[in-house]
Amino acid sequence: MTFTLTVSDEVRTLAPGFTHVLIEAYDLVNGPSTEESSAYLDDAARRLAARLDGRAPHEDPHMVAWRETYTAFGSKPSRTRNSAEALAKRALSDAGLPRINLLVDLYNAISVAHLIPVGGEDIDRIQGGMRLLRAKGDEEFVTVTGGEKTVEHPDPGEVVWCDDAGVTCRRWNWRQGPRTRLTEETTSGIFLLESLAPMPVADLETAAAELAETLAKFSPGARIEVHAPASR
């Protein structure tokens, strides 16, 4: 297990309180959402409501830190919410959380329950390693608009995840591209949990351990490695 993930010095300077935990997983079992994965999402929504205790997601100190960081690289956090805040808002709405596929449901449940941005990528679709950096503005982000493939370019200075083929996620963890996302055919994936101060690193590790345990439960034969936190 040798997947390479790096964070640029420019991002470290922008957000010195940033920490991430990487989980590598091979021989996974994926497929359509199930009653059990749906139950995980419902339970995560209940845990979130208890955590917030009547507050809105954006009032949580961890979400406040993400909003401040988004503002620092030029994004409007009320319009382009980080993935955890966006999911939390949906979890508390009448519509509830979406059901995507088994693996996505599981990591979304962890994101909502712990109020931590969590992403998942198909290792077989990633070209080279992944890098978190500030964009020059000429990088390509391939997405789908109105059923048609389109190419966008990040704003100069925007924080993005990239591989050798281009941008995989815009505005840090706001919108993932379709090229590397987890599909029902995925068998190998990485899962990335991200936090900012003031969230304790121990809380991030707890969430990562729960996700690894959940993945192992749904894919008993999987090979799973939880990497040590990349500390602040």
Side-chain angles (χ1 to χ4, degrees):
M1 296 187 181
T2 57
F3 187 83
T4 303
L5 187 151
T6 58
V7 178
S8 73
D9 290 341
E10 284 185 324
V11 173
R12 291 290 184 196
T13 299
L14 175 76
F18 174 60
T19 303
H20 67 270
V21 173
L22 173 68
I23 300 175
E24 279 186 80
Y26 299 85
D27 301 321
L28 291 166
V29 176
N30 200 14
S33 300
T34 65
E35 289 186 6
E36 194 167 5
S37 71
S38 184
Y40 267 77
L41 290 168
D42 289 339
D43 181 64
R46 288 190 289 269
R47 292 168 65 183
L48 172 69
R51 172 186 291 271
L52 291 173
D53 192 24
R55 294 174 298 163
H58 69 266
E59 295 176 301
D60 178 85
H62 190 212
M63 296 299 96
V64 170
W66 276 106
R67 283 189 164 223
E68 291 173 349
T69 300
Y70 268 49
T71 300
F73 66 78
S75 289
K76 295 182 179 179
S78 60
R79 188 174 64 187
T80 55
R81 296 179 176 86
N82 75 80
S83 63
E85 184 184 329
L87 273 178
K89 188 176 175 65
R90 291 195 66 171
L92 298 175
S93 72
D94 292 339
L97 289 164
R99 273 59 173 165
I100 308 297
N101 61 53
L102 180 61
L103 290 176
V104 175
D105 290 353
L106 297 182
Y107 81 69
N108 278 349
I110 296 298
S111 176
V112 168
H114 293 270
L115 209 51
I116 292 172
V118 182
E121 308 277 0
D122 188 321
I123 290 177
D124 296 329
R125 295 169 179 260
I126 296 171
Q127 298 187 30
M130 291 186 64
R131 302 175 297 281
L132 185 66
L133 49 82
R134 300 196 71 174
K136 296 178 181 178
D138 59 355
E139 299 88 348
E140 292 192 351
F141 177 72
V142 180
T143 186
V144 176
T145 304
E148 298 292 330
K149 184 180 290 187
T150 59
V151 177
E152 298 178 356
H153 299 281
D155 299 326
E158 181 182 325
V159 177
V160 294
W161 281 104
C162 296
D163 67 359
D164 290 349
V167 174
T168 59
C169 193
R170 287 199 59 188
R171 296 193 175 98
W172 205 314
N173 48 40
W174 166 63
R175 186 168 59 156
Q176 181 186 34
R179 174 170 59 87
T180 58
R181 66 188 175 192
L182 302 177
T183 69
E184 293 182 13
E185 289 72 43
T186 296
T187 59
S188 299
I190 61 161
F191 301 85
L192 185 66
L193 298 87
E194 302 177 299
S195 72
L196 294 169
M199 174 169 277
V201 175
D203 289 0
L204 186 67
E205 292 180 291
T206 297
E210 183 179 345
L211 178 54
E213 181 181 340
T214 304
L215 291 171
K217 176 182 177 180
F218 282 82
S219 299
R223 295 176 290 124
I224 299 170
E225 179 181 356
V226 181
H227 293 255
S231 60
R232 295 161 183 158

